[in-house]
C-alpha cells in the first residue's frame, strides 16, 4: 500500500456488480494480493484474467483537544488551557448501536490527541466508510464541563451530554452530514476540588525574639469537597510572599513577629506535593487540579520588652531661693529598667501642683530654683518613634503627654506616677520675730544662726529652730492652752 492508503474492505464476491470490467477489486483477502491467473485467454476461459485490479481507500484522521474549562461555559479560553495526560479512547459506531474499541491514546502537553495513520500509538487507518466516536476519562479531581459551548470563538466541548463522550462522526471531509467538524472532537473539563474557607483566626500572644513560638488558631467553614486522594494543608505566608509554615491542622506555631496571610489548600500529593513549594505561585503553576482559599490575616506582634521600672531614694540636696538664684538638686535611684537595643531611658520633671511638664534629662537628676512639690517620671522609648525634645515644656501637662505616647501604638513604657520630691525655701542666717503684744503665726520658724523674739503666741502652737541660739526677749508670752518649742537644730 501507499502512505495514508489502505486496502479496500469491499466484498470481492460482489465485485461483479461493479460497473466496468476493470473496476472490481481482485484481492480476495483484501490484503493487496490476488489469485493466480493465466494471461492466455483460451487457457483460462476468462477474459478478466488479463486485468487484475487492487482497491485502495484514503485513511482518515480524528483529532481534538482536552481543555480545562474553568468558567464551565464549554469553550476553550486559552491555548494554554489544554491539559496533558488525559486518556482518550476511539470507538467505531456499529450499525446495531453498539461500539467497538479501536484504539487508545493520551493527550500531549498542549492537551491535543489524534488517531490516524501518522499518529501514535497505533498509527491506525480510519475507514471513511465508518463512523467513530471518542470519549475521555476525567482525571482525578476533574468533572466534565456543564457548559453549552454557545458561540465559542475557538475549540468547544463536543460532548452532547456533558459526559466526556462525543457523538458518532464520519471523519471523511466530504461527508455531507457533519462536514469538517467531525475531524476535531474536543472535550472540556473543570477542577471540582474545593477547599474549606477560613472564617477567622484567634490568638494574641506576643512573640519574644529568640523565645518560644506563639500559637495562632484559624477557624474554617468545613465546606471542602475532596475527591479520593485529595487532602488539605494550611499554609502561612509572610509579607515577602514566602511560605513559612505548613500544617495539616488549622493552627500554627509562629516563631517570628509580623503580619501573615493564612491559606487553606486542597491538593493531590500524587499530582504535586504542595509542601515543597516556596510561594503560592509555585503551587498554582505546578499542580493540575486543586483549590486555594482566600487569605486571612494573621498578626503576631513583637512583645514590648521596654520597662521603665520604678524610682527610689528621692533626695533633695539644698534649698531654693528664687531671689538670689540658689538651686536645689533633685536626684533619684533608678530600679529594674529594661532598655531594648536602640532604645533610651529619659526622665521627665513636672510641677506637683499643676502637673505641667517642666524639663527632661537623660540622667535622674534636676536642678530647680523654685520651692514646692516636684515629680520625676522615667520613660523608656525608641527615639525613632518619639522626639522627647518636641514636648512643649512649661505648657503641656503629663496626662496629655501620656495619651500621646499611648496613641503612638509602639513599644514604649512610661511610669506616669513617678516619685515626689519637696523643695523647701532656703533658711535665713538670723531672724527677729517681733514683737511685744504682736501675735506670732503658728508654725515652724528656722534659721541657720540665731532667733530673737519678743512676740506673743496667742493663736496656734509655734516652734523656733536655730543653729546657734534662740533668745526670748522681755515681753515674749505664750498664752495658756498653747505650746511653744525651741530647738538648737537650724535649718532642715
Amino acid at each position: 500500500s501507499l502512505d495514508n492508503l489502505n486496502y479496500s474492505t469491499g466484498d470481492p464476491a460482489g465485485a461483479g456488480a461493479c460497473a466496468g470490467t476493470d473496476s472490481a477489486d481482485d484481492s480476495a483477502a483484501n490484503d493487496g494480493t490476488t489469485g493466480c491467473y493465466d494471461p492466455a485467454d483460451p487457457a483460462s476461459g476468462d477474459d478478466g484474467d488479463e486485468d487484475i485490479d487492487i482497491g485502495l481507500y484514503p485513511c482518515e484522521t480524528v483529532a481534538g483537544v482536552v481543555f480545562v474549562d474553568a468558567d464551565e461555559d464549554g469553550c476553550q479560553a486559552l491555548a494554554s488551557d489544554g491539559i496533558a495526560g488525559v486518556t482518550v479512547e476511539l470507538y467505531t459506531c456499529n450499525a446495531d448501536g453498539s461500539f467497538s474499541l479501536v484504539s487508545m491514546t493520551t493527550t500531549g502537553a498542549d492537551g491535543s490527541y489524534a488517531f490516524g495513520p501518522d499518529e501514535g500509538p497505533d498509527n491506525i487507518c480510519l475507514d471513511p466508510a465508518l463512523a467513530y466516536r471518542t470519549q475521555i476519562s476525567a482525571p482525578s479531581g476533574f468533572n466534565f464541563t456543564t457548559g453549552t459551548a454557545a458561540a465559542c470563538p475557538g475549540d468547544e466541548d463536543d460532548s452532547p451530554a456533558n459526559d466526556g463522550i462525543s457523538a458518532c462522526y464520519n471523519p471523511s471531509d466530504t461527508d455531507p452530514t457533519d462536514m469538517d467538524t467531525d475531524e476535531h472532537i474536543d472535550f472540556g473539563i473543570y477542577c471540582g476540588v474545593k477547599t474549606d474557607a477560613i472564617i477567622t483566626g484567634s490568638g494574641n500572644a506576643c512573640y519574644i525574639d529568640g523565645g518560644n513560638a506563639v500559637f495562632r488558631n484559624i477557624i474554617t467553614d468545613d465546606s471542602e469537597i475532596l475527591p479520593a486522594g485529595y487532602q488539605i494543608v494550611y499554609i502561612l505566608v509572610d509579607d515577602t510572599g514566602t511560605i513559612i509554615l505548613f500544617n495539616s491542622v488549622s493552627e500554627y506555631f509562629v516563631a517570628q513577629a509580623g503580619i501573615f496571610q493564612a491559606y487553606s489548600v486542597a491538593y493531590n500529593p500524587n499530582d504535586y506535593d504542595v509542601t515543597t513549594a516556596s510561594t503560592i505561585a509555585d503551587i498554582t503553576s505546578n499542580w493540575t487540579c486543586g483549590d486555594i482559599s482566600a487569605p486571612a490575616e494573621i498578626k503576631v506582634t513583637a512583645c514590648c520588652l521596654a520597662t521603665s521600672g520604678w524610682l527610689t531614694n528621692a533626695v533633695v540636696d539644698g534649698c531654693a531661693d528664687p531671689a538670689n538664684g540658689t538651686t536645689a538638686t533633685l536626684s533619684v535611684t533608678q530600679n529594674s529598667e529594661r532598655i531594648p537595643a536602640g532604645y533610651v531611658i529619659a526622665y521627665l520633671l513636672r510641677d506637683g501642683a499643676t502637673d505641667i511638664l517642666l524639663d527632661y534629662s537623660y540622667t535622674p537628676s534636676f536642678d530647680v530654683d523654685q520651692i514646692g512639690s516636684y515629680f520625676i517620671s522615667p520613660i523608656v522609648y525608641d527615639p525613632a518613634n518619639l522626639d522627647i525634645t518636641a514636648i512643649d515644656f512649661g505648657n503641656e501637662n503629663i496626662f496629655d503627654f501620656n495619651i500621646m505616647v499611648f496613641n503612638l501604638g509602639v513599644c514604649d513604657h512610661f511610669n506616669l506616677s513617678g516619685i515626689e520630691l519637696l523643695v523647701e525655701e532656703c533658711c535665713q542666717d538670723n531672724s527677729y520675730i517681733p514683737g511685744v503684744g504682736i501675735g506670732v503665726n503658728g508654725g515652724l520658724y528656722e534659721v541657720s544662726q540665731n532667733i530673737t523674739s519678743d512676740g506673743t503666741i496667742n493663736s496656734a502652737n509655734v516652734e523656733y529652730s536655730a543653729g546657734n541660739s534662740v533668745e526670748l526677749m522681755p515681753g515674749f508670752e505664750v498664752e495658756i492652752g498653747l505650746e511653744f518649742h525651741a530647738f538648737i537644730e537650724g535649718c532642715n
Side-chain angles (χ1 to χ4, degrees):
S1 66
L2 303 175
D3 286 346
N4 296 330
L5 295 173
N6 203 0
Y7 301 114
S8 173
T9 59
D11 181 5
C18 297
T21 57
D22 295 332
S23 60
D25 180 73
D26 293 315
S27 174
N30 297 125
D31 60 358
T33 304
T34 71
C36 295
Y37 294 94
D38 183 348
D41 290 346
S44 64
D46 183 0
D47 290 343
D49 58 14
E50 294 182 350
D51 203 324
I52 303 173
D53 306 309
I54 302 294
L56 301 173
Y57 66 86
C59 297
E60 296 293 344
T61 298
V62 167
V65 173
V66 180
F67 60 91
V68 176
D69 184 20
D71 58 5
E72 297 183 60
D73 64 353
C75 302
Q76 182 176 359
L78 301 170
S80 59
D81 290 337
I83 180 170
V86 179
T87 300
V88 186
E89 298 174 333
L90 177 71
Y91 291 83
T92 56
C93 301
N94 302 321
D96 61 1
S98 64
F99 306 95
S100 301
L101 178 64
V102 177
S103 183
M104 299 173 60
T105 190
T106 56
T107 56
D110 60 354
S112 66
Y113 73 91
F115 297 100
D118 296 323
E119 310 293 344
D122 299 331
N123 300 99
I124 60 173
C125 181
L126 274 61
D127 191 337
L130 300 179
Y132 298 87
R133 79 173 189 185
T134 58
Q135 70 181 59
I136 65 170
S137 300
S140 175
F142 284 91
N143 298 326
F144 300 114
T145 185
T146 58
T148 59
C152 295
D155 293 334
E156 61 187 43
D157 182 71
D158 293 314
S159 174
N162 296 125
D163 59 358
I165 301 174
S166 77
C168 290
Y169 295 99
N170 184 323
S172 172
D173 287 342
T174 59
D175 177 29
T177 302
D178 45 35
M179 306 300 288
D180 291 345
T181 57
D182 55 18
E183 295 186 347
H184 207 275
I185 305 172
D186 307 308
F187 299 95
I189 57 177
Y190 69 93
C191 183
V193 177
K194 183 179 182 298
T195 195
D196 51 359
I198 300 176
I199 300 173
T200 186
S202 62
N204 56 12
C206 62
Y207 175 70
I208 298 175
D209 190 26
N212 295 328
V214 296
F215 176 76
R216 289 294 184 271
N217 182 52
I218 56 174
I219 300 172
T220 65
D221 65 359
D222 297 327
S223 61
E224 66 272 14
I225 299 174
L226 299 177
Y230 280 75
Q231 61 191 44
I232 290 180
V233 66
Y234 300 94
I235 65 175
L236 197 65
V237 179
D238 68 14
D239 58 1
T240 70
T242 302
I243 300 173
I244 63 168
L245 286 176
F246 300 90
N247 203 351
S248 59
V249 294
S250 56
E251 62 185 31
Y252 307 102
F253 287 89
V254 189
Q256 65 187 77
I259 298 177
F260 308 94
Q261 302 297 322
Y263 295 85
S264 170
V265 182
Y267 74 106
N268 184 344
N270 293 322
D271 170 30
Y272 174 69
D273 186 358
V274 166
T275 61
T276 64
S278 297
T279 65
I280 295 293
D282 289 342
I283 298 173
T284 57
S285 62
N286 283 288
W287 66 7
T288 303
C289 178
D291 188 37
I292 299 179
S293 71
E297 183 178 288
I298 299 294
K299 187 175 183 180
V300 177
T301 58
C303 293
C304 182
L305 301 181
T307 301
S308 59
W310 64 89
L311 304 177
T312 57
N313 300 330
V315 175
V316 179
D317 185 9
C319 57
D321 187 349
N324 59 27
T326 303
T327 61
T329 299
L330 313 181
S331 62
V332 295
T333 300
Q334 175 69 53
N335 299 272
S336 301
E337 74 278 12
R338 185 165 55 205
I339 307 173
Y343 280 61
V344 297
I345 187 168
Y347 301 89
L348 297 180
L349 179 70
R350 76 178 189 268
D351 188 315
T354 65
D355 291 313
I356 295 297
L357 293 170
L358 302 174
D359 201 0
Y360 76 95
S361 174
Y362 293 111
T363 60
S365 177
F366 295 89
D367 291 331
V368 298
D369 62 2
Q370 302 291 322
I371 64 173
S373 169
Y374 294 89
F375 282 83
I376 297 177
S377 295
I379 180 171
V380 174
Y381 68 99
D382 183 352
N385 299 324
L386 175 65
D387 181 6
I388 203 168
T389 65
I391 297 174
D392 187 9
F393 291 105
N395 294 299
E396 185 173 349
N397 70 63
I398 193 170
F399 301 106
D400 290 340
F401 173 77
N402 188 53
I403 292 172
M404 183 274 292
V405 171
F406 176 80
N407 289 337
L408 286 176
V410 295
C411 178
D412 297 313
H413 190 265
F414 180 45
N415 186 331
L416 174 65
S417 58
I419 191 170
E420 184 178 20
L421 300 96
L422 295 175
V423 177
E424 301 289 346
E425 186 176 6
C426 292
C427 289
Q428 301 176 24
D429 288 340
N430 301 290
S431 178
Y432 166 64
I433 303 174
V436 176
I438 299 176
V440 178
N441 294 328
L444 173 65
Y445 295 81
E446 293 180 306
V447 297
S448 62
Q449 299 297 320
N450 306 297
I451 292 177
T452 58
S453 177
D454 55 5
T456 299
I457 298 173
N458 57 8
S459 62
N461 296 336
V462 172
E463 293 181 342
Y464 290 167
S465 178
N468 291 326
S469 67
V470 175
E471 183 177 1
L472 305 180
M473 305 294 290
F476 177 83
E477 182 179 4
V478 179
E479 292 190 359
I480 295 174
L482 297 178
E483 292 186 7
F484 166 77
H485 297 273
F487 306 95
I488 303 303
E489 290 181 353
C491 296
N492 180 6

